[in-house]
Amino acid sequence: LVFSPRPRVRDNNMAEREMKRKMVSLMDLTTLDKEGDTEDKVKQLVEKGSIANALQTEVAAVCVYPEFVPAAKKQIAALGCQMRVATVVNFPSGDGEVEQIKLDTKG
């Protein structure tokens, strides 16, 4: 009697799932809608990036406007996540005064 090894399709599916998990763990989720962003929207973004997704993998970071950094950090802590918070300065115009940009980056 000869037994054949497990089908390679299963191995490929596992490898594909691990590749997807790795890809997700390197991504950031962003909301930079100056007119439409709210603390609730930021909280939802953090939840979306948490392990409560199909791959059960956190994203690397969520990117929000500076005024929403505290809300993002609070939600990350509440969920016990490891993701980071990214933000922007002098965005989207890129034409701010250098001294103001310096202040914003220290904020």
Side-chain angles (χ1 to χ4, degrees):
L1 197 55
V2 176
F3 293 100
S4 62
R6 290 183 177 227
R8 291 183 71 58
V9 172
R10 192 168 261 191
D11 292 340
N12 287 341
N13 286 341
M14 288 178 65
E16 183 177 321
R17 182 176 174 81
E18 286 306 309
M19 181 175 52
K20 288 178 181 178
R21 291 183 75 181
K22 181 65 174 178
M23 290 169 56
V24 168
S25 75
L26 298 171
M27 293 179 174
D28 70 332
L29 294 180
T30 302
T31 181
L32 296 172
D33 179 2
K34 197 65 167 172
E35 304 302 320
D37 281 347
T38 63
E39 286 192 17
D40 284 338
K41 189 174 176 182
V42 169
K43 288 178 184 180
Q44 290 173 358
L45 185 72
V46 170
E47 288 174 17
K48 185 177 180 180
S50 74
I51 62 169
N53 58 49
L55 294 172
Q56 297 184 338
T57 302
E58 287 183 15
V59 296
V62 291
C63 182
V64 297
Y65 276 111
E67 58 265 33
F68 296 111
V69 168
K73 285 184 173 183
K74 184 178 178 182
Q75 186 66 11
I76 288 168
L79 294 173
C81 296
Q82 300 298 313
M83 75 181 78
R84 296 183 177 243
V85 178
T87 193
V88 295
V89 294
N90 197 29
F91 180 84
S93 66
D95 61 0
E97 295 294 323
V98 173
E99 291 306 314
Q100 183 60 48
I101 296 167
K102 286 180 184 179
L103 289 173
D104 290 346
T105 59
K106 293 178 182 180

